[in-house]
Amino acid sequence: NAGVTQTPKFRILKIGQSMTLQCAQDMNHNYMYWYRQDPGMGLKLIYYSVGAGITDKGEVPNGYNVSRSTTEDFPLRLELAAPSQTSVYFCASNLRGLATDTQYFGPGTRLTVL
Amino acid sequence: KQEVTQIPAALSVPEGENLVLNCSFTDSAIYNLQWFRQDPGKGLTSLLLIQSSQREQTSGRLNASLDKSSGRSTLYIAASQPGDSATYLCAAWNSGNTPLVFGKGTRLSVIA
């Protein structure tokens, strides 16, 4: 049981490049989330999904896209990377939705846009 | 809009000391409040989740309390150990489609 896994761990992008951050969970959770954490700040919700095929915007969705074709995977796509997207990105999941029960977090992807 | 504040931003204590971490929130109509631990370079680990109908939750040496009327929660750590060194974040949830709102965290150092 690996829990929530994320790849890559680190990435440096140039301005204008695109990339996909991968997230997978093996706990059969319906709900999955993407957060970003800027230095010295709390986490902000980017997008979330309530099940395969269903996604919704969080607090800071601009510049990102998501898809959820399977229960296990929830990739985050960055189009036209900007320095403001330099951050640590966390994927999380839980069973009963939003914050009604514990969210399980992945180890994070540290992204730098230069 | 819910706002969550954690003071102090950093705290250093000697091993064995009992300590309290503070969390305040502006909207008292919360559904639950959660405490997380974050180790450097790692993800978050859930410590305690307090429902709005509860006053406190306990897990081992950790005790979290919730006072909705004053907009405060505290995390009490008994007999602190160097392994408790980490950043502790609290987060409030107001139910519905609202996201968890996180504080910036308190960075705790327990000195041996």
Side-chain angles (χ1 to χ4, degrees):
Chain A
N1 189 333
V4 180
T5 58
Q6 293 183 239
T7 57
K9 284 187 169 53
F10 304 93
R11 184 72 185 269
I12 298 175
L13 282 181
K14 294 181 179 178
I15 294 172
Q17 288 186 318
S18 301
M19 76 165 293
T20 299
L21 282 67
Q22 302 291 345
C23 172
Q25 53 89 11
D26 62 359
M27 298 173 281
N28 204 30
H29 286 166
N30 288 324
Y31 293 80
M32 296 187 72
Y33 314 87
W34 275 106
Y35 292 93
R36 60 177 287 173
Q37 184 179 34
D38 298 329
M41 304 294 285
L43 279 70
K44 297 284 189 183
L45 183 65
I46 305 171
Y47 270 97
Y48 67 98
S49 170
V50 303
I54 306 170
T55 63
D56 207 349
K57 295 177 181 179
E59 300 173 90
V60 290
N62 292 342
Y64 307 93
N65 279 300
V66 294
S67 58
R68 183 99 182 268
S69 57
T70 67
T71 299
E72 295 78 20
D73 300 299
F74 190 39
L76 177 72
R77 177 86 178 158
L78 278 72
E79 306 281 1
L80 299 174
S84 61
Q85 294 178 304
T86 294
S87 191
V88 181
Y89 291 84
F90 291 102
C91 179
S93 72
N94 66 358
L95 185 62
R96 294 203 298 270
L98 286 168
T100 50
D101 66 341
T102 299
Q103 293 188 15
Y104 295 85
F105 284 79
T109 294
R110 187 175 296 273
L111 176 67
T112 301
V113 182
L114 300 174
Chain B
K1 182 184 173 186
Q2 180 72 272
E3 294 181 4
V4 176
T5 304
Q6 293 184 252
I7 296 173
L11 181 64
S12 184
V13 301
E15 181 178 5
E17 192 162 296
N18 302 326
L19 63 100
V20 174
L21 304 180
N22 296 301
C23 171
S24 61
F25 47 93
T26 55
D27 185 347
S28 62
I30 61 171
Y31 188 88
N32 65 42
L33 188 127
Q34 304 184 30
W35 283 93
F36 295 86
R37 170 183 172 138
Q38 185 175 27
D39 292 288
K42 300 288 178 66
L44 279 68
T45 300
S46 178
L47 297 174
L48 290 163
L49 185 157
I50 313 175
Q51 302 290 358
S52 62
S53 58
Q54 298 174 317
R55 295 284 298 207
E56 62 179 56
Q57 279 282 351
T58 298
S59 176
R61 294 183 294 108
L62 305 181
N63 176 279
S65 68
L66 175 63
D67 184 345
K68 287 176 57 180
S69 62
S70 66
R72 292 184 177 182
S73 176
T74 61
L75 180 66
Y76 175 83
I77 302 177
S80 59
Q81 303 169 359
D84 294 330
S85 297
T87 297
Y88 291 81
L89 296 101
C90 69
W93 186 50
N94 285 69
S95 81
N97 288 329
T98 62
L100 264 180
V101 178
F102 285 83
K104 296 180 181 179
T106 294
R107 189 173 68 253
L108 173 66
S109 297
V110 181
I111 311 301

